[in-house]
Each structure stands twice: as structure tokens, then as C-alpha cells.
């Protein structure tokens, strides 16, 4: 949890920081280019005004160029048709190519000013060019694109170091608060788990106490009254045996629930055909169904094959039927049906037309040891874990289960099982 939170906020900050850095880097480059262009543009204007003062003569430009701030600065005067009229580096300008399509000239023609970095066709050196369009000609200034010019155009790295420091500080702060949050979360989880364990321990102890007390009571009566009639002794033995069976069932249910919750990966999954499994459930509870005159209708619609655990799939249908037998009443009808399927799941319903359950109890039916009528539940021999096992078994098979009251009476369980 801590790592996930830290990574999430760190990534969020990094995206923000990189966006700001990219934006600032672009702005800084434009700013530095504008500064250099301003210097070169001032030179271009000075050259043009000097030409205008000398009534178009270019003979004086050599003496002017010597006064420029950069000793290696190149100045070129180009006609509006692209012919080179003057260049302080190349003395014989008549042999120079037409410059009408030079990138900086094209930009100057379109925008008034234009810049470009490229290698000169004439000298073979790499220059930073800046051209300005005037009324009678283009004036272009250029500087050799060396370390000096490159550094002039390079953004200031100070803000990079600032953002690097800020990233480190924010990461440290996020790590600190994430760690604190995780500690609080762990503490809260430990307290919650401790509360759940105490409650569960109390519930288990309470559930175990009833059958154990009954067994001890019956055995104590037999032990202290060896002369009891055989019929009475058999009664106490039968009662003790029934309570022992209930105790055994309770322990098995607790162990099964613990296995489902603590080590679901240890449950073996294999290809299972659900139809014979449901038939087995009906066969195992046939006598109890007959005793309560409960009619069961199945509608599974052909063979149903899925990947699952046969014991847990059995327990789903067995516990749902046991629930009907125990609480729905006598003379009711039960429906077990596959309602639909898609590419990943089968969908089922187990419903009855019995007494149903008050609405306030529905959301608790899958809770461990929850009973709508505690006295009645214990008389039926239930452990209070059946529906909790059903819910956990369905979820282990990547399905979901819900319950609601039917219109006209009874309960309806809808659940899905992954293929």
C-alpha cells in the first residue's frame, strides 16, 4: 500500500515537473535566441542606415564592420532579388550563389526577420544567421556557430538544478507522509483484525459451548446414575451423539471457512460437471425433503462444465438446500435453475416460496454465526456458517451472490460461477 501511494504521487509530481521543465526549457531557448537576434538585428539596422546615409554606396562597409562588437562577425548585403552585393568575408561576391532561397532570407521575406543555423556554401563554416528585410535590400549578420554562440543560445541550467532539488525534497516529503500513513493504516488494520478475532473467538467459544455443555450434561447424568433404565441411558447417548455430530460439523465448517479465507490458493481446481453434483445433493437430503414435504424442481439446461472444486461446489448447493429445509417451512417448493450464461460465467438461482426473511436481516445472512431466530436455529442444528461458506465458495469461483425476498413469499439466491 505504501509503495503504491508513493509511486502514484511521485509519478504525478514527475509528470508535472517534466511539463514545467519542458515549457521553461522552450521559453528559455526562445529568450536566448531573441537576445542574440536582437544584437544581430541592431547590427543589420546600423549597416542599412549607414548605406542609406552614403546614398547606397557600399565601399565604406569594411571600415564599419571592424567596429562591430564581435570580431568574427560576418555581414552580408543582399539585393531584393537575392544577389549578394557585399560580404566582409568573401571579397569577390560576384561568384557567390543567389541567396533568394536561403532559409533565413525566406523567413525575412515572409516575417521581416529570419534566422537559421547551417553550413555556408561559400566558406564551408557553420554559422548562426540572422537576416532583416529593408526597403531596398536584405542585411544579414552571422556568427560562427562555435562554443561561444552555442553557449549564448543554451538555456540557463539554474532552474534545472532548482527543479532537481525540488523533486528530491517532494519525494522525501511524499515518502515520509506515505510511511506515516502506512503506519497508521497498518495500526488501524491491526486493531480492526484484533477486534474481528476477538469477536470471532467469542462467537466460536459461544457456539462450541452449547453442544459441549449438552454432551457434558448427558455424560455426567449417565456417570452419576449407573442404574438408570436402559431406555433412558440410550436416550442420553443418542442426545450426546447428536450434539457431538453438531460439534463436529461446526469444527469442519470453521476449518473450511478458514481455508477459504486464509489459503484460497491451496484449493485444488479441476474440470467439474455440475449436474451429477446437484443430483448427489438432492439424493443426500432426500429423506429430509420428504419429511417436510418439500418439492424440488431443477432446470439446469444440459451439462454444465466449469473449472472448480467439487467439494466447494457441492457445499454451495447443499447449504442453500439445508437453509430451505431448516427455515422455509413445510410443504414449500424449491427451484434450482441456470438462468443464463455468457462467455465467462454461468448464472444460477435457488429460490423457495417459504416464509422469507425480514428485510433488515437480508444484508446479514452471509455473516458468520448470524441467525435471524437464534433459538429456532439451534433447534434445527445449524452452525450459523452455512451461508457464509456459500458466499466464500462462490467468490473463490470468481462469482458473486445476492439474496432478496421473492414477490409472494420466500427467498431467492442469485449467484454466478466462473467457467
Amino acid at each position: 500500500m505504501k509503495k503504491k501511494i508513493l509511486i502514484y504521487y511521485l509519478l504525478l509530481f514527475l509528470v508535472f515537473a517534466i511539463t514545467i521543465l519542458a515549457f521553461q526549457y522552450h521559453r528559455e531557448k526562445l529568450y536566448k535566441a531573441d537576445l542574440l537576434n536582437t544584437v544581430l538585428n541592431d547590427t543589420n539596422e546600423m549597416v542599412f542606415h549607414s548605406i542609406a546615409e552614403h546614398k547606397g554606396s557600399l565601399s565604406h562597409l569594411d571600415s564599419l564592420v571592424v567596429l562591430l562588437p564581435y570580431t568574427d562577425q560576418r555581414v552580408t548585403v543582399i539585393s531584393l532579388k537575392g544577389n549578394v552585393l557585399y560580404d566582409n568575408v568573401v571579397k569577390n561576391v560576384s561568384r557567390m550563389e543567389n541567396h533568394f532561397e536561403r532559409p533565413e532570407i525566406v523567413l525575412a521575406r515572409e516575417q521581416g526577420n529570419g534566422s537559421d543555423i547551417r553550413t555556408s556554401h561559400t566558406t564551408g563554416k557553420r554559422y548562426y544567421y540572422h537576416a532583416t528585410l529593408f526597403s531596398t535590400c536584405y542585411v544579414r549578420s552571422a556568427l560562427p556557430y562555435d562554443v561561444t554562440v552555442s553557449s549564448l543560445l543554451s538555456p540557463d541550467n539554474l532552474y534545472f538544478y532548482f527543479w532537481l532539488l525540488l523533486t528530491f525534497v517532494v519525494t522525501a516529503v511524499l515518502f515520509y507522509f506515505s510511511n506515516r500513513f502506512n503506519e497508521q493504516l497498518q495500526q488501524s488494520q491491526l486493531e480492526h483484525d484484533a477486534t474481528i478475532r476477538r469477536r470471532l473467538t467469542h462467537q466460536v467459544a459461544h457456539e462450541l459451548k452449547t453442544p459441549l455443555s449438552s454432551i457434558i450434561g448427558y455424560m455426567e447424568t449417565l456417570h452419576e446414575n449407573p442404574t438408570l433404565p436402559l431406555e433412558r441411558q440410550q436416550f442420553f447417548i443418542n442426545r450426546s451423539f447428536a450434539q457431538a455430530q453438531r460439534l463436529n460439523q461446526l469444527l469442519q465448517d470453521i476449518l473450511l471457512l478458514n481455508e477459504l479465507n486464509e489459503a484460497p490458493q491451496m484449493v485444488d481446481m479441476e474440470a467439474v460437471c455440475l449436474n451429477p453434483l446437484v443430483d448427489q445433493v438432492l439424493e443426500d437430503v432426500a429423506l429430509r425433503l420428504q419429511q417436510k414435504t418439500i418439492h424440488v424442481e431443477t432446470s439446469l439446461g444440459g451439462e454444465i462444465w466449469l473449472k472448480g472444486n467439487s467439494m466447494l461446489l457441492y457445499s454451495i448447493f447443499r447449504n442453500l438446500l439445508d437453509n430451505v429445509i431448516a427455515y422455509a417451512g413445510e410443504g414449500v417448493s424449491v427451484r434450482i435453475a441456470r438462468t443464463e450464461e455468457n462467455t465467462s460465467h454461468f448464472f444460477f438461482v435457488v429460490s423457495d416460496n417459504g416464509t422469507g426473511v425480514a428485510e433488515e436481516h437480508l444484508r446479514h445472512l452471509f455473516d458468520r454465526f448470524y441467525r435471524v431466530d437464534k433459538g429456532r436455529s439451534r433447534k434445527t442444528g445449524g452452525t450459523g456458517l452455512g451461508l457464509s461458506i456459500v458466499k466464500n465458495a462462490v467468490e473463490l469461483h470468481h462469482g458473486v451472490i445476492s439474496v432478496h425476498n421473492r414477490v409472494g413469499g420466500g427467498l431467492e439466491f442469485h449467484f454466478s460461477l466462473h467457467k
Side-chain angles (χ1 to χ4, degrees), residues 49-67:
H49 289 312
S50 178
I51 293 172
E53 289 175 0
H54 288 77
K55 299 180 180 181
S57 174
L58 305 177
S59 58
H60 68 286
L61 290 182
D62 284 339
S63 58
L64 177 65
V65 171
V66 174
L67 302 176

Side-chain angles (χ1 to χ4, degrees), residues 382-402:
T383 64
L385 297 173
L387 293 182
S388 183
I389 290 173
V390 169
K391 182 176 185 294
N392 280 270
V394 167
E395 290 176 351
L396 185 71
H397 289 83
H398 307 291
V400 292
I401 186 168
S402 61

Side-chain angles (χ1 to χ4, degrees), residues 104-226:
E104 67 276 8
I105 300 300
V106 172
L107 288 172
R109 187 162 57 249
E110 294 173 351
Q111 303 173 7
N113 291 280
S115 301
D116 188 38
I117 299 172
R118 58 183 174 77
T119 300
S120 170
H121 292 193
T122 306
T123 66
K125 292 183 180 180
R126 191 167 177 79
Y127 286 96
Y128 179 86
Y129 293 101
H130 181 74
T132 306
L133 173 64
F134 294 101
S135 57
T136 59
C137 64
Y138 298 94
V139 179
R140 184 185 71 181
S141 295
L143 289 173
Y145 192 72
D146 52 15
V147 175
T148 303
V149 174
S150 180
S151 62
L152 288 174
L153 292 173
S154 297
D156 190 350
N157 290 328
L158 180 61
Y159 71 95
F160 280 105
Y161 300 131
F162 168 75
W163 277 102
L164 186 63
L165 177 62
L166 183 62
T167 301
F168 174 77
V169 171
V170 171
T171 302
V173 170
L174 286 174
F175 182 81
Y176 172 76
F177 281 107
S178 176
N179 192 48
R180 288 289 303 274
F181 176 75
N182 189 64
E183 289 176 356
Q184 293 176 357
L185 193 65
Q186 286 180 340
Q187 183 63 31
S188 175
Q189 187 63 41
L190 288 173
E191 292 175 359
H192 177 265
D193 291 345
T195 302
I196 294 297
R197 283 195 296 271
R198 284 195 299 270
R199 186 182 303 163
L200 183 59
T201 301
H202 174 75
Q203 290 173 331
V204 171
H206 184 71
E207 294 298 326
L208 293 175
K209 182 179 178 181
T210 301
L212 279 175
S213 297
S214 298
I215 293 171
I216 292 171
Y218 294 139
M219 292 297 102
E220 186 177 8
T221 301
L222 289 172
H223 182 265
E224 293 178 357
N225 298 277

